């Protein structure tokens, strides 16, 4: 039996998220790349389209997660959790997310996919910077609006993150300022 036939049998020819019965196709749950029974789900065109293009999301369509989040199928649980997380500004989605339980392995899988969606501040070597990290400035940086220069080798302790993933903030010579993350190296 082919993988697609096995997936169709598992889902009883219904979308595994919204239960629609038309236009089903396999969808590989990231970070996996091959269609296998353990890493794919059968989705309708509506669910697949809204997952692939989040700007087209119809919030009310995803109320179907109220049922599918209880699936025993691991990739279905992962997709349901990710969609609820993306919709967590909606009170109903936040409520469902709080009720949902994932075992440790499934939770890690679900979170890996979300990390790909968000931009993170990264240093010159591509290492993700986090709040509280200490960084070293890798080149002389002039400070806008002053004659001050942050010298190469200056250590900035306990950085904070800003809304812009390209910048971090910290104190240099007693003054708080923003620094471009790619001009830093994590200590």
């Amino acid at each position: 039996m082919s993988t697609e036939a096995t997936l169709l049998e598992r889902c009883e020819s219904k979308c595994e998220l919204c239960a629609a019965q038309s236009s089903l196709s396999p969808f590989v749950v990231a970070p996996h790349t091959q269609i296998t029974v353990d890493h794919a789900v059968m989705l309708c065109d509506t669910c697949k389209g809204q997952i692939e293009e989040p700007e087209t999301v119809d919030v009310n369509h995803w109320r179907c997660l109220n049922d599918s989040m209880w699936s025993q199928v691991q990739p279905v649980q992962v997709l349901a959790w990710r969609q609820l997380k993306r919709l967590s500004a909606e009170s109903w989605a936040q409520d469902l997310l709080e009720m949902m339980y994932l075992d440790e392995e499934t939770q890690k899988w679900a979170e890996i996919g979300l990390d790909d969606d968000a931009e993170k501040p990264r240093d010159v070597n591509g290492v993700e910077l986090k709040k509280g990290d200490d960084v070293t400035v890798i080149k002389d940086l002039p400070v806008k609006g002053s004659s001050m220069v942050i010298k190469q080798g200056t250590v900035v302790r306990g950085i904070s993150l800003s809304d812009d993933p390209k910048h971090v903030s910290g104190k240099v010579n007693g003054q708080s300022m923003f620094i471009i993350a790619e001009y830093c190296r994590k200590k």
Side-chain angles (χ1 to χ4, degrees):
M1 185 181 288
S2 73
T3 302
E4 191 168 337
T6 305
L7 289 169
L8 281 168
E9 185 179 307
R10 177 181 80 193
C11 70
E12 299 173 352
S13 297
K14 296 178 185 173
C15 173
E16 293 188 88
L17 293 180
C18 75
Q21 296 180 336
S22 62
S23 304
L24 299 178
S25 59
F27 179 83
V28 180
V29 181
H32 302 286
T33 56
Q34 293 187 341
I35 297 174
T36 66
V37 175
D38 294 331
H39 301 134
V41 296
M42 291 301 282
L43 295 183
C44 66
D45 287 343
T46 304
C47 288
K48 190 174 184 178
Q50 291 187 35
I51 288 171
E52 291 173 343
E53 298 177 37
E55 62 277 358
T56 65
V57 167
D58 172 11
V59 174
N60 288 320
H61 172 78
W62 293 105
R63 290 181 181 265
C64 62
L65 296 175
N66 188 38
D67 295 325
S68 57
M69 69 185 237
W70 302 111
S71 173
Q72 296 300 308
V73 178
Q74 191 179 24
V76 174
Q77 293 172 347
V78 168
L79 274 183
W81 186 88
R82 287 179 185 170
Q83 282 304 108
L84 289 171
K85 194 77 171 163
R86 287 185 183 118
L87 297 169
S88 61
E90 302 289 328
S91 61
W92 62 266
Q94 185 62 46
D95 292 344
L96 292 179
L97 198 56
E98 289 173 7
M99 283 191 290
M100 192 170 184
Y101 170 79
L102 298 177
D103 62 46
E104 192 174 325
E105 178 186 337
T106 307
Q107 184 76 37
K108 283 181 185 174
W109 181 8
E111 290 171 354
I112 286 171
L114 278 187
D115 289 345
D116 295 343
D117 296 340
E119 281 191 56
K120 307 281 186 187
R122 299 196 182 275
D123 75 358
V124 67
N125 298 320
V127 176
E128 182 181 336
L129 298 173
K130 298 186 179 186
K131 182 178 180 180
D133 284 346
D134 295 340
V135 297
T136 304
V137 176
I138 63 165
K139 70 181 233 174
D140 289 354
L141 298 174
V143 177
K144 282 187 179 177
S146 79
S147 60
M148 184 176 157
V149 175
I150 302 172
K151 296 287 187 190
Q152 178 180 349
T154 300
V155 176
V156 182
R157 300 196 184 283
I159 63 167
S160 297
L161 305 181
S162 69
D163 293 336
D164 183 349
K166 294 179 184 161
H167 296 103
V168 295
S169 64
K171 285 195 174 189
V172 178
N173 299 332
Q175 292 184 334
S176 291
M177 56 189 68
F178 287 97
I179 304 167
I180 298 172
E182 64 187 32
Y183 295 143
C184 300
R185 182 185 303 93
K186 187 174 178 177
K187 286 193 72 113

